[in-house]
Amino acid sequence: MLILAVDSATQVAGVALAEHDRVVCEEFVNFRRNHSEILLPLIDRVMKESQCDWPQIAALAVTAGPGSFTGLRIGMATVKGLSLATGLPVAPISTLDVLAHNVAGSTALVATLLDARRDEVYFTCYDAEGRLPQILMPMKACSPQQAAREIMDLMAATGRRQVILLGDGVAPYQGYFSEHLGEYILPVGPHVMLPRAAALASLAWEALDRGQMVDGLTVKPIYLRLSEAEYRLQKGVS
Amino acid sequence: MNDINILGIETSCDETAAAIVKNGEEIRSNVVQSQISLHQKFGGVVPEVASRKHIETITAVTQEAFVRAGLDYRDIDALAVTNRPGLIGALLVGVSFAKSLAYALGKPLIAVNHLHGHIYANFLENPGIAFPCVCLVVSGGHTSLLYMPSHHEYQLIGETRDDAAGEAFDKVARFLGLAYPGGPSVEKAARQGQPGLYKLPRIFLDRDNFEFSFSGLKTAVMNLWRKLEKNGQADVNNMAAEFQAALVEVLVEKTIRAAEKYQVRTVLIAGGVAANSALRGTLAEKAQAQGLEVFYPSLSLCTDNAAMIAGRAYVQYVSRDFASLDLNAYPGLLSL
Ligand SMILES: [Zn+2]
């Protein structure tokens, strides 16, 4: 059996088909942000390349957020449509969990940072030593300065001397992170810096094994942020 | 040809809608989940709030359309989805969902222009409408006059230069302290007032073209209202009545002139503002005096719905006008 994993949470559009312990096919496109055009053709290609038909699929997986609001909805709407047609259950997985899973096994602290615009990042940290990353604090949107401070605090608290920074929220603030975390940063390759649908599929298998699936009706994105209009209404600004 | 059942999906603004229509004329189900209450506190549709609601409700609304039609997913012959114009984030939810649903069901997908959908709301109830015709599409997002020689040809002959008619209703309602959405609340106030007591301009009526401008009318309302308030004479109902009369007069006159110029016998109105009874009444009256035949959809089919999308899609189904897997959504009209 296979899991079909679909990710369009960031500038990456990714699709993977994976058995329990074998990635069968993966598409990863980090080129133009035209997810609405390419995502379904990528799914079609992965299905055809793997000679896969719907009865072979056990579940669907989708990056649930955080990420680009529109990107998240493109991925989730796509998976909801597939789920309605096939009756397949869905594993919604945090985009930050997927990122951290890219470096599973590392003894360094893993910090995941996605560009949240407005000078903020979507951020959390993981202990990635085991087979599955263990989240160390709630996910949130915060300034890169605050993220750097919390990374330093966590390293002090856990006695670590190294941190791996992952996600598209690293590059925009590279200078700041180098200045404040420089000696502690463990560099990694670009192939693990962004979400991978294969990692999403792997975490979805864990969710399936534990029975943590939802149906396409109820799954919804994790934004970590109100819409601008709701935020203004709450703050009483107009 | 056998009966053709098409599922329509519509998410271009603040209604999440799904419907199944047989042969472009028989509505088998028509589910509309309105978000109006959600946007009321903002005084207008907030795109991000709309998109968030669409993704939460789209599956349930689609399921409901099948339940009410008594059909299984496999029973439909094609899917149709609005892919323009509209709020891009909102459109993308419907387009992404419809594409993958069509793909997994192995059914063809049809991309429908929202304005064509509004026009075809008329055909759902009047299958025998004769071409050529002139259509006035009036809604929160659009004020356009079209000339339609046949099912497959559209010519945009005029549109608004600034605000759409529905937008003008919303803005004037907000200014006068009337409820959102502005269309129904202005109409209600207007019924208790009298047009002509205050004088508002009929903007562009003197021009020999089919363009509209409602931003100027809104400004004229504001200026006159402030003057009246100073003199202690401001009456909301009379202002609403004169505003509605000024807007309707321009819409009706230009539509009838278009029918004359293009020598058509049939006039259609469509879109949310087509629900306005002053517009319906005035147009019907004036057009009949000219020997024209006027059609407008019943009230529930004027506002956004998916039956009109599935209805329009039938024409495209017959001509095998199918979309590919890379179908995208577009905020603007592009081409009619
Ligand atoms: Zn509309």
Side-chain angles (χ1 to χ4, degrees):
Chain A
M1 294 301 276
L2 295 152
I3 281 182
L4 174 64
V6 177
D7 163 50
S8 59
T10 67
Q11 76 258 29
V12 173
V15 178
L17 261 178
E19 289 173 353
H20 205 281
D21 38 26
R22 184 174 78 106
V23 179
V24 177
C25 187
E26 184 183 16
E27 289 278 357
F28 173 98
V29 180
N30 177 26
F31 180 53
R32 283 195 298 143
R33 197 188 273 266
N34 57 341
H35 297 350
S36 59
E37 285 179 15
I38 67 169
L39 196 59
L40 196 57
L42 288 180
I43 290 171
D44 185 47
R45 204 148 81 208
V46 164
M47 295 282 286
K48 290 209 170 100
E49 213 48 65
S50 313
Q51 297 180 355
C52 176
D53 207 352
W54 296 108
Q56 292 163 255
I57 295 183
L60 305 165
V62 64
T63 34
S68 134
F69 296 164
T70 299
L72 289 176
R73 283 189 291 262
I74 290 171
M76 200 152 280
T78 300
V79 164
K80 278 174 183 274
L82 298 178
S83 172
L84 186 64
T86 58
L88 288 168
V90 178
I93 309 280
S94 148
T95 318
L96 301 181
D97 285 3
V98 173
L99 268 178
H101 197 43
N102 280 351
V103 293
S106 164
T107 54
L109 180 72
V110 174
T112 50
L113 304 119
L114 290 179
D115 187 4
R117 312 278 175 88
R118 291 200 261 139
D119 297 319
E120 288 194 332
V121 287
Y122 299 121
F123 163 71
T124 192
C125 288
Y126 293 85
D127 175 337
E129 277 190 48
R131 199 168 53 88
L132 296 173
Q134 300 299 315
I135 195 164
L136 297 174
M137 59 171 80
M139 301 185 285
K140 62 177 164 241
C142 66
S143 68
Q145 291 78 12
Q146 187 184 339
R149 267 197 309 277
E150 295 194 13
I151 289 168
M152 288 304 291
D153 290 350
L154 257 177
M155 284 203 294
T158 58
R160 287 189 173 86
R161 307 282 305 160
Q162 284 185 313
V163 61
I164 295 174
L165 305 181
L166 298 177
D168 63 16
V170 179
Y173 308 106
Q174 189 69 61
Y176 182 84
F177 291 132
S178 299
E179 197 179 316
H180 291 83
L181 304 168
E183 56 184 308
Y184 303 109
I185 296 174
L186 181 65
V188 291
H191 61 294
V192 294
M193 281 300 286
L194 296 170
R196 297 293 295 260
L200 169 62
S202 167
L203 292 179
W205 271 113
E206 297 291 332
L208 186 62
D209 288 347
R210 292 196 213 122
Q212 295 166 337
M213 306 297 283
V214 295
D215 61 22
L217 183 72
T218 49
V219 61
K220 61 181 191 180
I222 305 162
Y223 299 106
L224 292 188
R225 234 192 218 164
L226 291 174
S227 68
E228 187 75 29
E230 287 168 301
Y231 177 77
R232 284 167 170 273
L233 198 69
Q234 227 175 47
K235 291 267 156 175
V237 267
S238 60
Chain B
M1 193 154 63
N2 292 331
D3 285 340
I4 300 300
N5 287 299
I6 298 180
L7 168 73
I9 289 173
E10 152 67 41
T11 63
S12 69
C13 191
D14 62 340
E15 325 275 357
T16 317
I20 297 174
V21 173
K22 188 171 100 180
N23 300 336
E25 54 185 51
E26 188 191 320
I27 300 175
R28 303 197 55 169
S29 63
N30 186 17
V31 184
V32 181
Q33 176 81 55
S34 171
Q35 302 180 359
I36 283 184
S37 60
L38 202 61
H39 297 282
Q40 235 147 10
K41 59 176 180 274
F42 303 107
V45 177
V46 180
E48 175 62 21
V49 172
S51 303
R52 289 185 178 198
K53 198 62 191 170
H54 284 311
I55 192 76
E56 285 177 27
T57 47
I58 191 144
T59 299
V61 164
T62 306
Q63 283 177 324
E64 184 66 18
F66 280 97
V67 170
R68 288 196 202 167
L71 291 175
D72 187 67
Y73 301 127
R74 305 270 150 201
D75 293 338
I76 52 165
D77 299 279
L79 290 81
V81 67
T82 307
N83 82 320
R84 72 167 66 124
L87 304 171
I88 186 66
L91 284 166
L92 282 169
V93 172
V95 167
S96 304
F97 177 81
K99 279 205 298 186
S100 64
L101 184 58
Y103 173 72
L105 290 174
K107 307 283 184 184
L109 180 70
I110 297 159
V112 174
N113 180 313
H114 183 78
L115 290 198
H116 296 177
H118 272 305
I119 292 167
Y120 275 76
N122 283 291
F123 290 82
L124 288 171
E125 297 170 304
N126 309 281
I129 293 175
F131 289 98
C133 55
V134 159
C135 317
L136 172 68
V137 183
V138 269
S139 68
H142 299 281
T143 304
S144 312
L145 263 171
L146 299 106
Y147 168 58
M148 263 182 87
S150 77
H151 276 301
H152 305 286
E153 297 163 272
Y154 295 83
Q155 198 179 323
L156 182 65
I157 58 180
E159 59 188 337
T160 182
R161 284 210 180 163
D162 37 60
D163 290 352
E167 235 175 324
F169 270 105
D170 284 341
K171 288 179 178 176
V172 165
R174 173 142 52 155
F175 176 74
L176 295 177
L178 298 169
Y180 172 85
S185 63
V186 168
E187 184 178 348
K188 195 173 153 208
R191 232 179 278 133
Q192 290 152 47
Q194 205 183 323
L197 294 181
Y198 306 146
K199 290 268 183 285
L200 288 171
R202 271 51 176 167
I203 292 172
F204 284 8
L205 193 57
D206 54 329
R207 296 199 187 181
D208 194 20
N209 63 24
F210 299 107
E211 289 195 333
F212 303 93
S213 167
F214 295 114
S215 163
L217 180 58
K218 176 198 69 192
T219 309
V221 168
M222 290 167 144
N223 292 339
L224 180 57
W225 186 253
R226 291 195 183 109
K227 226 180 278 172
L228 290 165
E229 270 187 328
K230 244 180 238 161
N231 303 335
Q233 300 171 316
D235 180 278
V236 170
N237 296 337
N238 290 336
M239 181 55 90
E242 174 64 7
F243 161 72
Q244 181 176 273
L247 185 140
V248 164
E249 188 178 331
V250 178
L251 289 175
V252 167
E253 285 301 323
K254 294 224 171 189
T255 304
I256 288 181
R257 280 184 213 166
E260 274 169 20
K261 180 172 176 192
Y262 288 87
Q263 301 189 311
V264 306
R265 315 280 320 147
T266 312
V267 171
L268 313 179
I269 42 175
V273 180
N276 181 282
S277 60
L279 175 61
R280 293 160 92 101
T282 313
L283 185 63
E285 191 185 308
K286 294 261 165 87
Q288 264 146 29
Q290 304 283 320
L292 298 170
E293 203 175 2
V294 180
F295 295 93
Y296 39 78
S298 51
L299 291 179
S300 65
L301 292 176
C302 282
T303 43
D304 289 352
N305 63 82
M308 68 188 199
I309 302 304
R312 164 63 195 175
Y314 179 72
V315 173
Q316 293 173 248
Y317 180 90
V318 171
S319 58
R320 316 307 272 177
D321 175 11
F322 298 140
S324 51
L325 297 183
D326 63 354
L327 177 72
N328 208 345
Y330 305 92
L333 267 178
L334 278 191
S335 63
L336 282 155

